[in-house]
């Protein structure tokens, strides 16, 4: 069965430090991968997505993610975190199923940024 | 450009009362529509998805139901709310990009409805 794991429930980083949020997936074929960000009380905003091609994808707000098939991972990175990046981050995989398309979301990683 | 609306933004309802949450999408035709619930401090739980009018699939047995009276309108309902129905409800849309497969592109989310059942 398809699944997405975000092993870090909560991460705290200092403003200006680098960030890496981990995401591992389980899927039998080439997955379609996404990262979303959610500010408190808001909906989810798409940061970036991977469908095919270059395994390093660039997104909005200075984020990037790298697809590593051998590790079944799609980790999100940012070289220098800003205080406004504090939010909940969700990794998701899109997959075909018997009932059509499905999106599977991880349980999220909460990011705290300290001055 | 496409936009997605949800209302109300916030709702406080007593246990046993009915529920109706509405979601509409503008700027696209025949979207796939989804209802998710997000409990406090937890991830997203897919409740329903629809690939067309009167084509609705339920993912989790519950006292909730969904309807799609128009192409770009998706409604989440309940006849009697439970305490456990409290949460943040998100609507999302996508479009099918692989004909014949039902596979859809990116999901785009609405602003959400905060439901508190007392």
């Amino acid at each position: 069965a398809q699944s997405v794991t975000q092993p870090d429930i909560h991460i705290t980083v200092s403003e200006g430090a680098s960030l890496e949020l981990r995401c591992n997936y389980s899927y039998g074929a080439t997955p379609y991968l996404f990262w979303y960000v959610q500010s408190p009380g808001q909906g989810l905003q798409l940061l970036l997505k991977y469908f095919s091609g270059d395994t390093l994808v660039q997104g909005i707000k200075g984020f990037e993610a790298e697809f590593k098939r051998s590790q079944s991972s799609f980790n999100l990175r940012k070289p220098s975190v800003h205080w406004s990046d504090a939010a909940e981050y969700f990794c998701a995989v899109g997959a075909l199923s018997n009932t059509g398309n499905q999106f599977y979301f991880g349980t999220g990683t909460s990011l705290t940024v300290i001055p | 450009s496409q936009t997605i609306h949800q209302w109300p933004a916030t709702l406080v309802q007593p246990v046993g009362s009915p529920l109706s949450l509405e979601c509409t999408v503008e700027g696209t035709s025949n979207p796939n529509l989804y209802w998710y619930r997000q409990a406090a401090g937890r991830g997203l739980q897919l409740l329903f998805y629809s690939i067309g009018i009167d084509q609705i699939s339920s993912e989790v047995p519950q006292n909730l139901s969904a309807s799609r009276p128009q192409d770009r309108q998706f409604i989440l309902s309940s006849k009697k709310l439970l305490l456990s129905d409290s949460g943040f409800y998100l609507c999302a849309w996508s479009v099918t990009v692989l004909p014949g497969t039902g596979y859809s592109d990116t999901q785009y989310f609405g602003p959400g409805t905060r439901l508190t059942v007392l």
Side-chain angles (χ1 to χ4, degrees):
Chain A
Q2 297 83 3
S3 66
V4 178
T5 302
Q6 292 181 248
D8 303 306
I9 297 174
H10 186 247
I11 285 182
T12 299
V13 299
S14 299
E15 190 169 15
S18 63
L19 171 71
E20 183 170 29
L21 302 182
R22 296 183 291 165
C23 173
N24 293 96
Y25 66 90
S26 173
Y27 183 57
T30 299
Y32 299 84
L33 298 161
F34 307 83
W35 273 101
Y36 289 86
V37 61
Q38 184 182 32
S39 296
Q42 303 296 314
L44 275 69
Q45 180 184 22
L46 179 70
L47 283 176
L48 47 80
K49 61 184 179 182
Y50 171 78
F51 276 22
S52 64
D54 192 346
T55 56
L56 183 63
V57 294
Q58 303 297 321
I60 63 172
K61 304 184 179 184
F63 286 93
E64 66 177 27
E66 186 171 12
F67 170 55
K68 293 185 177 180
R69 184 188 303 275
S70 61
Q71 299 177 18
S72 297
S73 69
F74 189 56
N75 294 349
L76 181 72
R77 300 194 294 249
K78 187 170 184 177
S80 178
V81 171
H82 189 262
W83 64 267
S84 60
D85 294 325
E88 188 89 14
Y89 291 81
F90 292 93
C91 181
V93 59
L96 290 174
S97 73
N98 294 336
T99 53
N101 83 90
Q102 291 283 352
F103 275 68
Y104 298 88
F105 285 85
T107 52
T109 297
S110 177
L111 175 64
T112 298
V113 181
I114 55 177
Chain B
S1 64
Q2 301 86 0
T3 56
I4 178 169
H5 304 279
Q6 287 187 247
W7 62 89
T10 305
L11 190 61
V12 180
Q13 292 283 95
V15 170
S17 64
L19 173 73
S20 181
L21 303 182
E22 190 165 341
C23 170
T24 58
V25 180
E26 298 176 354
T28 187
S29 296
N30 196 30
N32 303 306
L33 296 172
Y34 310 82
W35 277 112
Y36 289 88
R37 176 170 57 203
Q38 188 178 30
R42 302 184 64 178
L44 283 76
Q45 178 186 35
L46 179 63
L47 300 175
F48 300 93
Y49 71 92
S50 171
I51 60 173
I53 291 177
D54 297 327
Q55 293 179 282
I56 299 171
S57 298
S58 174
E59 290 298 301
V60 181
Q62 61 224 328
N63 68 320
L64 299 172
S65 62
S67 61
R68 186 169 177 173
Q70 300 179 39
D71 180 46
R72 291 170 290 176
Q73 184 183 31
F74 205 25
I75 296 173
L76 183 68
S77 304
S78 175
K79 293 182 179 178
K80 290 185 177 181
L81 282 168
L82 306 173
L83 287 174
S84 58
D85 291 324
S86 292
F88 192 51
Y89 288 81
L90 290 160
C91 182
W93 70 272
S94 69
V95 293
T96 298
V97 294
L98 291 178
T101 68
Y103 185 74
S104 60
D105 200 339
T106 308
Q107 290 190 10
Y108 297 94
F109 287 81
T113 294
R114 173 73 60 191
L115 172 65
T116 303
V117 182
L118 302 175

